[in-house]
Amino acid sequence: MVSASVLSADMLNLEKEIKRIEDGGIEMLHFDVMDGIFVNNITYGLPVLEQVRKSTDLILDVHLMITDPLKYVRRFAECGADYISFHIESESNVSETIEAIKKSGAKPAVAIKPATPAESVFEYLDRLSMVLVMTVEPGFGGQSFIPETVEKVRIIRGKAEELGLDIRVEVDGGINSETAVCTSAAGADVLVSGSYLFSAENMAEAVGRLRRTDI
Ligand code: DX5
Ligand code: ZN
């Protein structure tokens, strides 16, 4: 499955950009929320998500790069998030945040930065719908893929299989037609793509190039 990161979209024409995502046959819209503290960048938040929800039936995949996700997950769910990913490195209690997301009716996911070991998510796996493995340092679109992160995808997919869990593994950052190959082979089944998709002249064709490897 492909999740289009609107961080690289033309924000003044977001409705048209959403239409381009839908017409490209993409299933998910990836919505990056940054608070300027957890990462060195500030993006958009609740009111924008609410408007996006009104304009599309795409699966809304919200990636919270914020210091205290527990405080906000219910409101992101109310604004229409289907999946909510939060960082294990944030200040919120991980178990409580997972429970709060579930209670609010959204699907919980834990995100890990490149330096965080794959094993750190093991104790939560049976309560998660997805694990988000960052393949760049969170904060900005358009960065280069970090190859060492592929092994973490393999480790998490292996553990999920060992435990018999039906869980998604998402990769985010520097995903293009080349890096989609190794990450999919390692067990990623949600490919986030921002700059690669939005810089393509023909988004449907770019999606096709990602999908050749997508499982
Ligand atoms: C980075 C964000 C990503 C970003 C990916 O912190 O989490 O979702 O938009 O952008 P690309 O695909 O350009 O690396
Ligand atoms: Zn993201």
Side-chain angles (χ1 to χ4, degrees):
M1 213 186 266
V2 173
S3 191
S5 173
V6 289
L7 191 58
S8 296
D10 173 359
M11 288 314 276
L12 288 183
N13 290 291
L14 193 52
E15 199 168 12
K16 276 191 200 151
E17 294 285 63
I18 291 171
K19 184 86 176 53
R20 200 149 75 100
I21 296 170
E22 291 170 345
D23 291 348
I26 296 171
E27 300 92 342
M28 285 174 117
L29 184 154
H30 186 83
F31 191 88
D32 288 302
V33 180
M34 306 186 192
D35 66 356
I37 301 169
F38 185 75
V39 289
N40 292 322
N41 201 1
I42 300 177
T43 54
Y44 30 68
L46 294 159
V48 178
L49 184 68
E50 200 172 14
Q51 295 302 314
V52 170
R53 177 74 295 165
K54 283 183 194 154
S55 72
T56 185
D57 290 327
L58 286 164
I59 299 167
L60 297 185
D61 167 29
V62 173
H63 177 192
L64 298 179
M65 285 160 275
I66 63 176
T67 310
D68 191 3
L70 179 57
K71 192 169 166 188
Y72 293 100
V73 288
R74 188 179 53 82
R75 288 167 68 195
F76 276 98
E78 284 167 2
C79 286
D82 294 303
Y83 283 85
I84 299 181
S85 303
F86 67 98
H87 275 266
I88 200 167
E89 306 89 354
S90 74
E91 286 174 10
S92 298
N93 178 282
V94 176
S95 296
E96 279 179 43
T97 309
I98 292 170
E99 286 318 307
I101 295 171
K102 283 189 169 175
K103 213 173 144 199
S104 68
K107 294 188 166 103
V110 160
I112 53 173
K113 292 198 215 179
T116 302
E119 292 76 12
S120 62
V121 302
F122 282 5
E123 64 178 292
Y124 310 109
L125 272 187
D126 60 346
R127 287 173 277 161
L128 294 173
S129 297
M130 184 163 82
V131 175
L132 195 179
V133 177
M134 285 304 299
T135 43
V136 299
E137 284 301 331
F140 297 89
Q143 302 181 77
S144 302
F145 181 80
I146 301 172
E148 291 75 19
T149 56
V150 176
E151 188 53 26
K152 299 203 296 180
V153 173
R154 204 184 316 279
I155 292 171
I156 292 165
R157 176 56 72 202
K159 189 67 178 177
E161 277 173 6
E162 183 191 316
L163 298 173
L165 299 172
D166 179 21
I167 198 170
R168 292 188 182 282
V169 180
E170 178 175 53
V171 284
D172 181 13
I175 299 299
N176 55 35
S177 56
E178 284 163 28
T179 54
V181 179
C182 56
T183 49
S184 297
D189 56 1
V190 181
L191 308 175
V192 176
S193 178
S195 51
Y196 176 72
L197 282 180
F198 284 95
S199 66
E201 243 162 60
N202 184 324
M203 197 180 278
E205 279 176 21
V207 174
R209 287 192 290 272
L210 292 177
R211 283 238 179 80
R212 274 208 298 271
T213 54
D214 186 14
I215 44 171

